[in-house]
Structure formats: C-alpha cells, structure tokens
Amino acid sequence: MLDEEFFIRRISDYLALRNISRNDLARLAGISTGALREIMQGKNVPTVATVEKLCKALNISVSQFFDTDDAFHDLTEDQVKLLDLWTSFSEEQREHARIYLDGLSKSDR
C-alpha cells in the first residue's frame, strides 16, 4: 500500500544512497523545502508530478522509485556511483562507455 510511510522510506533511502540533503533534493527537484518537509513528516502524500520531479532530481525512473524489490541494495558505493554515471549518460556516451569497457575487459585477458 502506498501511504505516507512508503514515501518517507523511499525518499530517505535515496537521500542516503545519493548522499544528498533534503534541502538539496528540494532544490534539484524544483519544489519548496516546505513541501518536501511535509512529505517527509507524513503530512502530505506527493502528487504524481512531484514524484516525477523527485525522481528526476534523484536520477532514477519513477518505476525504480516504486520498485520495492531492492535488487540494488547490496551494491557497493563504487557500483552505485557507476550506475549513477551510466543513467546520466546520453545514448552516445553509453555507446562510448560500452566500447571502452569492452576494450578494458579484453586487455586483462
């Protein structure tokens, strides 16, 4: 069930994962610190538009936000950083990264 606690927990998890403050998240998402504070205090459930803004600021998809499988919970800090970089890349940058990484893996054999 999607209640206030769900949003508090998910936002808190991503704040810790990204190592950013609530104020930074509010600024990056383009919402007021008061609006985020009310969400985090369980006074309001965010609208779809607000969730989209928060996800964009956290560099995740809306589906990732709602995915409670937590398949990525066991990643190291370095792995999380690499995934963050990957999601920020354009398709062209991703292709260059694939080629580079493929070359690196072949050179170690």
Side-chain angles (χ1 to χ4, degrees):
M1 179 174 179
L2 298 180
D3 59 5
E4 293 87 355
E5 285 300 314
F6 173 85
F7 291 99
I8 294 167
R9 187 174 49 258
R10 295 302 285 171
I11 293 168
S12 296
D13 287 349
Y14 278 106
L15 287 174
L17 189 64
R18 300 290 190 264
N19 195 30
I20 61 174
S21 69
R22 290 181 183 183
N23 287 340
D24 288 340
L25 177 59
R27 181 180 47 78
L28 292 167
I31 65 172
S32 71
T33 54
L36 183 58
R37 182 175 47 253
E38 287 187 359
I39 293 167
M40 298 305 290
Q41 291 175 346
K43 294 179 180 177
N44 285 326
V45 173
T47 64
V48 172
T50 300
V51 170
E52 289 173 339
K53 290 177 182 180
L54 292 169
C55 290
K56 185 174 181 181
L58 291 166
N59 203 19
I60 59 170
S61 68
V62 173
S63 62
Q64 284 174 298
F65 182 83
F66 288 105
D67 179 15
T68 57
D69 183 21
D70 290 333
F72 298 110
H73 231 29
D74 294 329
L75 295 178
T76 67
E77 187 175 330
D78 285 338
Q79 290 169 324
V80 170
K81 286 178 185 178
L82 286 171
L83 286 173
D84 284 345
L85 281 172
W86 182 264
T87 57
S88 71
F89 287 168
S90 67
E91 195 53 46
E92 182 180 356
Q93 289 171 313
R94 289 179 182 180
E95 183 59 27
H96 289 293
R98 282 185 202 101
I99 293 167
Y100 178 73
L101 291 171
D102 188 46
L104 279 179
S105 68
K106 288 178 182 174
S107 68
D108 286 343
R109 291 182 189 163

